[in-house]
Amino acid sequence: MLSPKRSRITNIWSKVSEEDTGVFSKVVIESTEAFDYRAGREGNNIVLEARGTVANMPEGLIGVNDGLVREISLVQKGPEIALVVICLDHPAGHEIEVTPGIPVRTVITLERSFLAGLFKGKKIAIDPGHGGNDWGGRGPVNLVEKNVVMPVARNLRKLFEQAGAQAVLTRTSDENVTREKRFEIARKWGADLFISIHTHSHRDCRVGGTAVLYSPEGLAAADMIKEEVIKKLKLADRGLRESRDYEGLGIPAVEVEVVTITNWVEEGLLRSPTVHKKAAEGIFNGVKNYFARTSTF
Ligand SMILES: [Zn+2]
């Protein structure tokens, strides 16, 4: 069947959608008219050949990194054929549905059950640093570390729970909690991983970037988390460093210094809920890769 009019593809975007039947990744292709297409698979990837022309948007790669969809590539293959490749980190079933309207939306729904398998039975302790009269670092415009780590921790808990894991916060309000108490919460609860959220401080306000500290058992997780947080926030890589702060915890521990709060630009970033969310997504993706590597399937 041929579309009566030429279709122009004007936008592609994606989101993670929580529905009654589960959590899904959705890739949405917007176009001026419905287009004919042929969909197939290459390994984990979904390849969609659309009869249409790319217009008002650049061709190339769109980075997604939502835990399932890594990136989407869009290329004009011939005068009338646009090639959309959805690159997936894991195998996933998909469905395609076309919703008429202005614009027409071709929605590729991907099931995230692989993630549920990966996170099933996993317990993660999330430790928002500082609290109460312990303010932690302070930015040039007076943003304080104890406050900015909280939304990152809450976003992270939501992502773990969405994926089917259990997550606990070692501090839920602006209160002093001793290190021993935080460890005790994680241990009693039977956490598989301890993730502490902090920011870095430096007396030179030009120094910036992301670093990850770790206990000896936490090295593998730290390495993967740093890679994914940098992919999301695109800040300087301040490296990995072993920390003695987690001695005696007995659980692999990772401390993420998400940004450097004393840096003018990075303090500004911390005011944005989008940045809190992206930082959490980066940490989540790193933990996902860590569990994928250590799981048996
Ligand atoms: Zn700190």
Side-chain angles (χ1 to χ4, degrees), residues 68 89-92 111-119 292 295 297:
L68 175 65
D89 283 332
H90 308 287
E111 47 94 16
R112 293 168 65 89
S113 60
F114 184 92
L115 289 174
L118 212 53
F119 281 103
S295 79
F297 64 121

Side-chain angles (χ1 to χ4, degrees), residues 129-130 136-137 145 149 197-200 255 257:
H130 313 281
E145 180 178 357
V149 294
I197 317 280
H198 285 258
T199 60
H200 180 60
E255 178 178 323
E257 289 183 343

Side-chain angles (χ1 to χ4, degrees), residues 211-220 222-223 226 238-248 251-257:
V212 179
L213 287 67
Y214 58 91
S215 69
E217 321 92 290
L219 172 60
D223 192 23
K226 182 170 72 70
R238 292 184 36 255
L240 286 172
R241 197 171 77 243
E242 192 173 324
S243 167
R244 296 191 142 195
D245 287 352
Y246 301 94
E247 259 171 25
I251 301 165
V254 168
E255 178 178 323
V256 187
E257 289 183 343

Side-chain angles (χ1 to χ4, degrees), residues 37-277:
Y37 64 83
R38 210 166 56 192
R41 305 199 69 123
E42 266 173 31
N44 286 345
N45 299 342
I46 292 161
V47 180
L48 194 118
E49 271 188 346
R51 188 173 287 273
T53 314
V54 181
N56 303 332
M57 70 171 293
E59 293 177 40
L61 278 181
I62 304 158
V64 179
N65 293 305
D66 72 357
L68 175 65
V69 180
R70 185 166 59 248
E71 59 195 13
I72 304 162
S73 119
L74 172 67
V75 184
Q76 189 72 51
K77 213 179 136 192
E80 282 285 321
I81 299 288
L83 186 68
V84 180
V85 181
I86 304 168
C87 303
L88 304 182
D89 283 332
H90 308 287
H94 76 275
E95 261 176 33
I96 304 177
E97 211 178 350
V98 181
T99 328
I102 303 168
V104 176
R105 294 201 164 110
T106 302
V107 182
I108 300 110
T109 301
L110 300 140
E111 47 94 16
R112 293 168 65 89
S113 60
F114 184 92
L115 289 174
L118 212 53
F119 281 103
K120 192 170 182 250
K122 291 284 194 283
K123 289 181 165 187
I124 300 135
I126 304 168
D127 177 47
H130 313 281
N133 62 10
D134 168 15
W135 289 30
R138 185 199 284 254
V141 197
N142 281 333
L143 213 55
V144 289
E145 180 178 357
K146 67 167 184 174
N147 293 336
V148 295
V149 294
M150 216 57 206
V152 176
R154 290 214 175 94
N155 276 297
L156 186 57
R157 176 172 62 183
K158 186 177 168 214
L159 291 173
F160 284 137
E161 286 175 351
Q162 260 186 355
Q166 287 174 274
V168 72
L169 297 186
T170 58
R171 156 170 97 81
T172 52
S173 64
D174 185 12
E175 60 188 329
N176 277 92
V177 184
T178 62
R179 182 185 297 171
E180 290 67 35
K181 180 72 188 163
R182 294 169 195 250
F183 287 5
E184 192 191 313
I185 291 169
R187 260 197 311 260
K188 272 200 178 155
W189 194 63
D192 297 290
L193 190 61
F194 186 91
I195 303 173
S196 199
I197 317 280
H198 285 258
T199 60
H200 180 60
S201 293
H202 200 283
R203 61 197 143 73
D204 183 346
C205 66
R206 289 164 302 181
V207 172
T210 303
V212 179
L213 287 67
Y214 58 91
S215 69
E217 321 92 290
L219 172 60
D223 192 23
M224 293 179 188
I225 289 171
K226 182 170 72 70
E227 187 181 333
E228 295 299 324
V229 172
I230 285 172
K231 241 188 236 172
K232 281 281 177 184
L233 296 182
K234 301 185 167 68
L235 297 174
D237 183 348
R238 292 184 36 255
L240 286 172
R241 197 171 77 243
E242 192 173 324
S243 167
R244 296 191 142 195
D245 287 352
Y246 301 94
E247 259 171 25
L249 171 62
I251 301 165
V254 168
E255 178 178 323
V256 187
E257 289 183 343
V258 182
V259 307
T260 302
I261 198 169
T262 45
N263 177 285
W264 287 90
V265 176
E266 295 183 18
E267 182 193 34
L269 291 177
L270 285 172
R271 294 183 194 277
S272 154
T274 310
V275 170
H276 302 153
K277 205 165 157 241

